[in-house]
């Protein structure tokens, strides 16, 4: 994959937002979370600047690693199983690198996929192997995935809650992987960027750590509605953290101490229930959007989690391409979705993605416009 | 290079500091700059948090790119020739990546070298080719470098002021490269982490941009005495910035807006002369240390720039290895230098590196102890 392709694969986010602005449409093409905790952050930061601006521990300051371990579930050793990174992107890069040193140079992930996956793999010399979702996008084709494992793929990259469909991995799904792990040695990288946003189960998933190697990439971006704070993390078995850490020394190296300390304060303070309120707020936005889109004639599975709704528009407008339809909707209805094109390697179905990670008044206004379609 | 080697190559910094602490010696093994501008930074940051914590421009906020362009010399286009990175480390990683896409997979750099160079190259599949300094470490062996260019090496990575020797590239040196560029197409990556610290010329170097392709990696770390703020940059021709940017999207992605805005304020405010005072302060520390080391019997070239002094101890103690001698000096004299081992790929001479990037009272105390040797 050359540099132009690297940029081009993720350019549709920027292009769609620019188009929305150019025609004055409401921008539902990107995740643009409301800054829910900026005041708490700024207060914490004003106190934590006393930590100073000299090198932090490249593994992450212990105070933050302990908060991450506590947030991520029981039994995670803050000293050896947590690495603080520059957002979820560096975490995924390092996870793939570390996984490839032990599990070979092929990675399977479900298609549609987060558009950064093929590029992350390509930059590390890893072959990307997309595995399809079932028709209707209700969930992944597990048989197809198992077939890839039996054929020798040893790294699975699973995004749950899933972007763009909102599918969430269930306990049954995990048991299927645990069973497969009794006969095949593979590692699962979990991209849990939206980990706190599961609407059916009222909370994030618990992973069967100890039954198979699991590496979890997370970040403060969506969890704390601060996409630009660039505090991410990787939780994984110690041997894989060692490998990721070795490469991390040659990338972002460390994150600023005051930011780490402030995010630790927020993780500790918000763990006690405020995140339930955030989840309820997003569920409410999801329900409004889903209702309006159904009334407008879109077909979709209501997302069980995440920040997005993937909708099929072929009944409404069978001829236009996803890009043409998105622009048409922006012009005629004043609502700009993201064409689903970047979520597919080659062929993209007649689908667009609507974000409900925007302020509630924007969701409401978009719904009113869509109801008039 | 495997992960153990990646970590091991840069572990001596940590190991030497740990040894210094264990025997209660003054730690001159690392650059531990005095926090000269923390108060200015914290004041600026308190104002700039209003920029919020959502995604910044992946190329860098324009306000910072303009400050960097102004700081880096005339004729640099902030919109197309500057990329903001997570410190100088990510900048070097991206520079090497971008250079390799156009100039092939071999990089030459002078030995002794900053210990991260071989690992950075290895992680990107680039062959590292160390070129020796002249005996006595007074400067590089330019003939040997030219020979490598004639043999096909197309990427030169030059650290000026140089870590560990303090050598600074002169105008004559640049003219030699300009002449070579008339017959050979190569790119020069300048690691100017210590760019502001040239003591003979009272200021940073000017590069012959336009006469050959030059990529300059810099950062706020040493310039603003804030090693952990993780705001770095790459200034390069637009086509190479495009390539670096494409990869940057898949690594740290962007730096926090408030940090970028605050560093921009500091760059603008300090450009007007305060950095001259910092340079004089470091020159004074260098002179104290050089005098004490000369009196103690070390042999060295006084560093023309940078934060370190590389000293030959073979007249003092011809038998001990660099590691053994460093520990011996820490135990007997209470001053811990860094063994020069990590600066060499294989054979290391009987040399140690002393840092004067520590508080002046520590330099003074170390000098008093060394004078008693």
């Amino acid at each position: 994959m050359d540099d132009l392709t690297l940029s081009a694969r993720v350019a549709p986010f920027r292009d769609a937002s620019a188009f929305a602005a150019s025609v004055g449409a409401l921008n539902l093409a990107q995740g643009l979370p409301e800054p829910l905790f900026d005041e708490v952050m700024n207060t914490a930061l004003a106190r934590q600047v006393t930590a100073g601006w000299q090198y932090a521990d490249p593994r992450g300051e212990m105070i933050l690693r302990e908060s991450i371990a506590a947030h991520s579930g029981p039994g995670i050793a803050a000293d050896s199983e947590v690495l603080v990174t520059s957002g979820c992107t560096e975490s995924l890069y390092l996870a793939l690198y570390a996984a490839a040193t032990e599990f070979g140079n092929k990675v399977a992930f479900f298609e549609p996929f987060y558009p950064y996956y093929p590029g992350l793999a390509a930059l590390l010399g890893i072959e990307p192997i997309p595995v399809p979702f079932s028709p209707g996008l209700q969930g992944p084709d597990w048989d197809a995935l198992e077939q890839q494992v039996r054929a020798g793929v040893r790294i699975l990259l699973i995004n749950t809650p899933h972007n763009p469909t909102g599918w969430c991995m269930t306990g049954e799904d995990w048991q299927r992987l645990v069973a497969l792990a009794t006969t095949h040695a593979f590692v699962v990288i979990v991209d849990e960027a939206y980990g706190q946003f599961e609407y059916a189960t009222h909370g994030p998933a618990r992973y069967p750590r100890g039954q198979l190697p699991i590496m979890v990439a997370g970040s403060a971006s969506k969890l704390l509605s601060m996409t630009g704070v660039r505090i991410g993390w990787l939780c994984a078995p110690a041997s894989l953290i060692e490998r990721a850490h070795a490469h991390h020394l040659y990338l972002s190296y460390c994150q600023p101490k005051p930011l780490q300390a402030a995010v630790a304060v927020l993780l500790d303070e918000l763990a006690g229930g405020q995140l339930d309120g955030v989840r309820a707020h997003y569920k409410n936005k999801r329900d409004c959007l889903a209702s309006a889109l159904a009334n407008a004639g879109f077909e979709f599975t209501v997302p069980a989690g995440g920040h997005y709704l993937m909708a099929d528009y072929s009944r409404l407008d069978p001829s236009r391409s996803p890009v043409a339809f998105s622009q048409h909707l922006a012009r005629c209805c004043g609502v700009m979705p993201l064409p689903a094109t970047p979520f597919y390697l080659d062929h993209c179905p007649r689908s667009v993605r609507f974000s409900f990670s925007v302020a509630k008044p924007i969701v409401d206004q978009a719904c009113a416009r869509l109801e008039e379609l």
Side-chain angles (χ1 to χ4, degrees), chain A:
Chain A
M1 188 178 289
D2 64 20
D3 302 309
L4 285 178
T5 314
L6 285 174
S7 295
R9 280 215 70 82
V10 297
F13 294 101
R14 187 197 57 203
D15 296 346
S17 292
F19 188 86
S22 74
V23 300
L26 297 170
N27 185 6
L28 266 52
Q30 280 198 279
L32 302 164
E34 302 151 275
L36 300 173
F37 302 115
D38 275 23
E39 274 184 47
V40 194
M41 175 67 185
N42 295 343
T43 305
L45 184 61
R47 258 184 273 123
Q48 301 300 335
V49 288
T50 53
W53 299 99
Q54 301 311 317
Y55 287 126
D57 187 331
R59 293 175 188 272
E61 294 293 285
M62 191 47 87
I63 186 178
L64 177 57
R65 282 193 272 158
E66 282 172 353
S67 297
I68 291 166
H71 169 80
S72 301
I76 296 171
D79 61 338
S80 62
E81 296 179 337
V82 179
L83 178 70
V84 175
T85 62
S86 176
C88 205
T89 312
E90 192 198 11
S91 178
L92 288 170
Y93 189 87
L94 295 173
L96 280 167
Y97 165 80
T101 59
E102 291 193 13
F103 293 89
N105 66 343
K106 289 180 185 178
V107 58
F109 46 78
F110 295 121
E111 185 177 41
F113 48 74
Y114 179 51
Y116 281 78
Y117 291 170
L120 284 165
L123 285 165
L124 290 159
I126 300 171
E127 184 188 347
I129 299 176
V131 173
F133 259 53
S134 64
L137 300 182
Q138 288 174 346
D141 183 339
W142 287 108
D143 290 335
L145 185 75
E146 287 200 17
Q147 210 175 325
Q148 290 295 344
V149 172
R150 290 183 208 287
V153 177
R154 293 287 174 262
I155 308 173
L156 313 184
L157 170 52
I158 292 179
N159 180 209
T160 175
H162 182 255
N163 177 6
T165 67
W167 163 78
C168 295
M169 190 142 170
T170 65
E172 263 174 52
D173 295 330
W174 275 112
Q175 282 318 307
R176 186 159 185 163
L177 287 186
V178 167
L180 188 62
T182 59
T183 51
H184 294 81
F186 58 90
V187 63
V188 179
I189 300 172
V190 181
D191 172 358
E192 62 156 27
Y194 303 91
Q196 203 66 25
F197 297 87
E198 295 208 11
Y199 307 117
T201 58
H202 306 295
R206 292 282 170 248
Y207 311 119
R209 289 186 171 95
Q211 298 189 261
L212 75 170
I214 297 178
M215 311 178 79
V216 180
S219 91
S221 291
K222 274 77 180 187
L223 178 64
L224 300 180
S225 305
M226 293 190 289
T227 53
V229 78
R230 312 319 292 154
I231 298 290
W233 49 81
L234 183 65
C235 296
S239 65
L240 289 163
I241 287 290
E242 282 312 302
R243 292 182 182 278
H245 170 253
H247 195 154
H248 174 63
L249 294 173
Y250 293 81
L251 290 179
S252 74
Y253 186 78
C254 70
Q255 310 323 118
K257 277 186 195 175
L259 289 191
Q260 292 195 49
V263 166
V265 170
L266 265 68
L267 276 181
D268 293 349
E269 282 185 4
L270 300 177
Q274 286 202 56
L275 293 174
D276 292 343
V278 175
R279 193 180 305 120
H281 177 60
Y282 271 78
K283 184 170 188 283
N284 176 244
K285 294 195 285 183
R286 175 201 70 173
D287 292 341
C288 294
L289 184 64
S291 166
L293 288 171
N295 291 341
F298 288 90
E299 292 173 290
F300 55 88
T301 302
V302 176
H307 286 189
Y308 312 105
L309 188 156
M310 181 86 139
D312 182 320
Y313 61 86
S314 54
R315 214 169 54 185
L316 276 170
D317 189 343
S319 62
R320 283 195 177 86
S321 74
V323 172
F325 177 77
S326 298
Q327 298 185 347
H328 173 71
L329 198 68
R331 271 203 208 88
C332 300
C333 170
V335 176
M336 181 81 198
L338 184 72
T341 331
F343 301 107
Y344 293 87
L345 216 48
D346 298 313
H347 179 71
C348 173
R350 302 218 175 282
S351 293
V352 290
R353 189 196 76 168
F354 291 89
S355 167
F356 48 95
S357 179
V358 294
K360 182 63 164 55
I362 296 177
V363 172
D364 289 339
Q365 212 180 332
C367 289
R369 294 182 185 182
L370 288 163
E371 298 269 9
E372 285 170 20
L373 248 190

